[in-house]
Amino acid sequence: MLKKTALALALNLSIAAMAQAETLRLSHWVPATHPVQVTGIEPWAKSIEEASGGDLSIQIFPAQQIGSAPDHYDMVRDGIVDISWTNPGYNAGRFPIYSLIEIPFHISGGAAGAKAIHSWYQDYAKKEMSDVFFCAVNSHETGALHSKKKITQPSELSGLNIRPAHATMARFVSNLGAAPVQVPAPEAREAIARGIADAITFPWGSIYDFGIDKEVKYHMDLPMYVSAQVLLFNKDSLNGLSEQNRQVIYDHCTPDWSQKMSQGWVDDDRAAREQMIADEGHTVTRPSEEEEALWREAAIPSLDKWKSDVAASGIDADKTYEDYLQSLQENNADY
């Protein structure tokens, strides 16, 4: 009788635990095989599940299954998903402070850069992304320019159609006489294949991930920019968790986790770059010091425009910029 009672009690406790377990839905827009998911999101989600003792699990929806890439901020804000992997740069003008990280020639490394961005932006996020909970930054290694013809100087962009990584890069190429073709990453290959775009700013690994290596054969080996995505939580979803489980989430929304989540993507990009250099069907060219100086000079108007936009919203642009530079330096991520 005692054995039956103990068994029934254990069964009831198990059922109660299952009833209390919560599944959070996470949406992103790259393939499920992409390092963003395999080396970043999945280990992060597994760590959350383990730290919560199985109370929390995260169900991942990749490849725009729930919504298109540009819609991911609104999706998590509105509770369509509990967590989203969002590119703020797909929402032009909406997050002017964050767009600072998109200005070329500031970041030298993606993983350390992700930690630096998180450390710098986490307080600004409370103002600029106040309707969601800012959790983490996920960055690729510094991206490059990939094109149908060899390019090493800014003047050679004039007259070309270029798919930029985000709105900031769109303004950058526009200032150099190019026409931006603004399509999300999953649509980039088609734009190039159909002749709508002549070049693209993209991470090295994603050139292979999206099959764009079949369309562009020339690559400028210059670390131009990052497009650092952010992991965001719906506030109601987060606040609906127990205090203990909310703390588990907070413990996984730190600058260190931003770096850890980004490292696999960065390693993949670095390996892809080496693969591209070794591929006889591709030409990888490093601009000269004089040419690089021209590129860096070409980015100055983008920084001036950022300062103007941020100042207009009542933010001290100079202090914000200096804080950003300091965070990059402290994390050995400055270019």
Side-chain angles (χ1 to χ4, degrees), residues 145-150 216-220 282-283:
L145 179 71
H146 314 272
S147 54
K148 292 182 177 180
K149 70 174 187 177
K150 183 178 177 180
V216 295
K217 301 298 180 181
Y218 294 90
H219 314 273
M220 190 176 72
H282 290 262
T283 300

Side-chain angles (χ1 to χ4, degrees), residues 220-241:
M220 190 176 72
D221 190 13
L222 189 65
M224 295 183 72
Y225 76 100
V226 294
S227 175
Q229 329 303 309
V230 290
L231 267 182
L232 306 172
F233 274 77
N234 174 269
K235 282 193 167 183
D236 289 339
S237 299
L238 182 62
N239 292 334
L241 301 177

Side-chain angles (χ1 to χ4, degrees), residues 90-273:
Y90 284 174
N91 296 262
R94 193 170 181 182
F95 309 107
I97 299 173
Y98 191 82
S99 66
L100 172 59
I101 69 97
E102 300 165 352
I103 295 175
F105 308 117
H106 279 77
I107 295 178
S108 63
K115 182 179 181 180
I117 292 167
H118 187 137
S119 299
W120 162 75
Y121 186 69
Q122 56 190 345
D123 288 335
Y124 291 107
K126 296 173 184 176
K127 172 181 175 65
E128 191 165 66
M129 299 183 181
S130 61
D131 44 10
V132 297
F133 174 73
F134 169 80
C135 174
V137 174
N138 188 210
S139 177
H140 54 78
E141 182 63 307
T142 45
L145 179 71
H146 314 272
S147 54
K148 292 182 177 180
K149 70 174 187 177
K150 183 178 177 180
I151 296 172
T152 59
Q153 299 185 42
S155 60
E156 294 169 334
L157 295 190
S158 182
L160 298 183
N161 296 323
I162 299 179
R163 184 271 173 187
H166 38 59
T168 302
M169 286 302 294
R171 287 194 296 269
F172 176 71
V173 299
S174 293
N175 290 340
L176 296 172
V181 178
Q182 294 179 294
V183 297
E187 301 171 24
R189 180 185 178 181
E190 182 181 1
I192 297 174
R194 292 172 56 192
I196 298 172
D198 306 301
I200 180 171
T201 59
F202 225 47
W204 291 93
S206 294
I207 290 290
Y208 288 111
D209 294 330
F210 289 93
I212 298 172
D213 59 301
K214 307 296 191 302
E215 308 298 337
V216 295
K217 301 298 180 181
Y218 294 90
H219 314 273
M220 190 176 72
D221 190 13
L222 189 65
M224 295 183 72
Y225 76 100
V226 294
S227 175
Q229 329 303 309
V230 290
L231 267 182
L232 306 172
F233 274 77
N234 174 269
K235 282 193 167 183
D236 289 339
S237 299
L238 182 62
N239 292 334
L241 301 177
S242 68
E243 182 178 352
Q244 181 176 351
N245 285 338
R246 280 200 306 275
Q247 188 58 52
V248 169
I249 298 301
Y250 295 150
D251 291 343
H252 287 77
C253 294
T254 65
D256 285 339
W257 264 107
S258 287
Q259 181 171 12
K260 189 182 300 186
M261 289 182 67
S262 299
Q263 189 62 60
W265 194 3
V266 167
D267 291 342
D268 182 78
D269 278 338
R270 290 174 177 172
R273 174 181 170 275

